[in-house]
Amino acid sequence: MRSISLTLKQFSRPVLLVIGFVIWGFSTYAQGDAAKGKAIFEAKCTACHKVESRVIGPALGTQLEKETDDKWLTKWIQNNNALIAAKDPKALKIFNEYNQANMTVFSDLSDADVANIITFVRADWKDKQTQLAKNPPPAAEKGPSDIMILGLIGVIIVAFIIILVLNKVIKTLERLITNRPELLVPEPTAEVAPVDRFATVKKLAKNKKFVFFVLICVSIAGASWTWMGMWNTNVHTGYQPVQPIKFPHDLHAGAMQIKCQYCHSGAYKSKNATIPSLNICMNCHKTIDRRMDAKEPSPEIAKIYDALGYDPQTTKYDSSKARPIQWIRIHNLPDLVYFNHSQHVKVAGLKCQTCHGPVETMKEVYQYSPLTMKWCIQCHKRTGITYKDNGYYEKMEAIHDRIKRGEKITEAEMGGIECGKCHY
């Protein structure tokens, strides 16, 4: 018994040490509640960070892929200044990479709160990568294919080769006649005729091969020009009219991180995205009349005041001076096309940038996508349906289950009495 106890005592320390390392290894990776982390992230982090892209701070998704030491991350989030003061190598590297700008200190966050945030970021980043792999962004419409262009070039090259071969044959015949002059038919002597300046042109016009080649080139060029013209009919990609007020989307949607639907509130609940009223602008510009680095008030903001009859000195409105802003529509669809913003934004969950491009980088908005039928069809072929936690598709699924059970289903339950089915 004594020998057994001694043996167990010898092995107990290594075993306990291994168990301790295993527990420590598991504890270095945050195990938290993603739902709670999302609430904290939206409340405290979204002003400077996004999961998928860089804002003021780095893109957290890729950052947490590089950094896996969650204990160090917890210290950094709670008090980055302490790590920088302690000359921590990782902290100094991040501090210098972002122009020595200090991150906000969150000493009020507990270790569990930070673990919840980290868990949410990793889960959200994984979901975004999975979604991107399943639904890659639709390719931009390129117009005529490369095969058509290469075919035209090939025809021109073949025609050029034929001309070279014919010239070679002509030179061979000329050499043969020079060596055997008896083959020439003597021409009757006549008076010297005046020089004809169009003799070369007339000679080429009588050359059937040359005329045929010219007709082929003209036909190909004309057909290509016609095809390109028809292809781009009513396509206004890049259309950027001059608006009555130069509204910088790169400042509002980009630098200020104002969500699109704060101004275009109809996109979530209506067929139209709607143009915001000037009252929306005045939520901020009643107190903001210039950029932070400007000495004089902005002339563009002054146009808002003039349209509302607002006096910034007295902060009062004169309705007799009010007038509407004549905005110029950029994205126009034919009358025969029915497009519903809420169906794409709320049901499908698409971002505004899917159709309108990177508006957060545009100084002034322009038409980014061609908005052609082909472009829409390509997007519909590539975009998958996210039916989980989607009320519309859950309702359709329930109706299909009832159909399978043989129950009666009416057109009204399928949306048959919605106004937009007939009137638009």
Side-chain angles (χ1 to χ4, degrees), residues 196-410:
D196 188 357
R197 290 181 294 179
F198 301 100
T200 304
V201 177
K202 293 177 180 178
K203 184 177 180 181
L204 291 174
K206 294 179 180 179
N207 189 324
K208 296 181 179 180
K209 293 184 177 64
F210 178 79
V211 172
F212 178 71
F213 172 72
V214 170
L215 290 175
I216 287 178
C217 291
V218 171
S219 300
I220 292 173
S224 301
W225 179 82
T226 303
W227 179 264
M228 291 295 294
M230 294 176 65
W231 189 273
N232 293 300
T233 298
N234 207 33
V235 176
H236 304 291
T237 305
Y239 175 57
Q240 187 180 34
V242 178
Q243 300 289 357
I245 296 177
K246 296 179 180 178
F247 181 86
H249 276 74
D250 60 340
L251 173 63
H252 293 77
M256 304 302 296
Q257 294 291 299
I258 298 175
K259 294 184 178 180
C260 300
Q261 292 179 30
Y262 178 78
C263 298
H264 303 285
S265 56
Y268 190 75
K269 58 185 178 182
S270 171
K271 172 182 180 290
N272 300 308
T274 67
I275 297 174
S277 66
L278 294 182
N279 292 333
I280 299 294
C281 304
M282 292 299 287
N283 287 342
C284 299
H285 290 297
K286 193 170 184 178
T287 55
I288 301 172
D289 65 350
R290 70 195 73 187
R291 284 177 175 265
M292 293 178 62
D293 56 350
K295 296 180 180 179
E296 299 293 331
S298 168
E300 301 303 319
I301 297 177
K303 293 178 182 178
I304 299 175
Y305 295 161
D306 291 340
L308 288 169
Y310 175 76
D311 187 351
Q313 302 299 326
T314 62
T315 66
K316 293 183 178 180
Y317 295 89
D318 184 353
S319 58
S320 63
K321 296 180 180 179
R323 55 182 177 78
I325 295 293
Q326 300 294 327
W327 297 106
I328 301 174
R329 189 184 183 99
I330 298 174
H331 302 86
N332 293 287
L333 293 176
D335 292 340
L336 55 90
V337 176
Y338 177 81
F339 179 84
N340 191 311
H341 275 84
S342 64
Q343 188 174 356
H344 291 75
V345 176
K346 184 176 181 180
V347 178
L350 296 183
K351 293 184 177 180
C352 303
Q353 289 84 348
T354 305
C355 298
H356 296 287
V359 290
E360 70 277 5
T361 64
M362 297 180 186
K363 191 71 178 175
E364 292 185 48
V365 171
Y366 59 89
Q367 183 173 321
Y368 178 81
S369 304
L371 304 182
T372 59
M373 180 178 176
K374 177 183 177 182
W375 180 79
C376 294
I377 290 175
Q378 286 179 337
C379 182
H380 284 193
K381 286 182 177 179
R382 292 187 176 93
T383 304
I385 293 176
T386 305
Y387 54 85
K388 185 178 180 181
D389 298 327
N390 189 311
Y392 176 82
Y393 292 113
E394 287 178 351
K395 180 181 177 182
M396 290 296 103
E397 186 178 11
I399 289 175
H400 288 167
D401 291 339
R402 290 174 58 190
I403 292 174
K404 291 177 182 178
R405 293 195 298 267
E407 297 180 14
K408 181 182 177 181
I409 303 296
T410 64

Side-chain angles (χ1 to χ4, degrees), residues 19-137:
I19 293 173
F21 275 116
V22 171
I23 295 173
W24 177 80
F26 279 110
S27 65
T28 58
Y29 198 87
Q31 300 294 326
D33 189 329
K36 294 180 180 178
K38 180 180 180 182
I40 301 172
F41 180 83
E42 291 178 347
K44 294 182 176 291
C45 307
T46 52
C48 300
H49 293 286
K50 281 187 175 182
V51 175
E52 72 278 6
S53 61
R54 175 172 176 171
V55 189
I56 297 174
L60 296 183
T62 54
Q63 199 72 19
L64 293 189
E65 278 186 344
K66 302 175 186 175
E67 183 55 62
T68 57
D69 186 352
D70 291 352
K71 285 188 175 181
W72 183 89
L73 284 172
T74 302
K75 295 178 181 178
W76 170 262
I77 293 171
Q78 290 173 337
N79 192 346
N80 65 97
N81 291 340
L83 290 175
I84 295 170
K87 306 296 183 182
D88 183 272
K90 293 181 183 178
L92 290 175
K93 181 180 178 182
I94 297 174
F95 182 63
N96 294 324
E97 183 179 351
Y98 287 88
N99 301 321
Q100 298 186 349
N102 288 93
M103 175 179 160
T104 305
V105 173
F106 294 104
S107 56
D108 58 323
L109 294 179
S110 65
D111 291 354
D113 292 335
V114 176
N116 291 338
I117 294 173
I118 293 173
T119 302
F120 161 70
V121 171
R122 287 196 172 114
D124 190 60
W125 176 240
K126 185 177 179 181
D127 290 344
K128 283 182 169 60
Q129 287 183 311
T130 304
Q131 194 66 22
L132 185 62
K134 291 181 179 178
N135 304 313

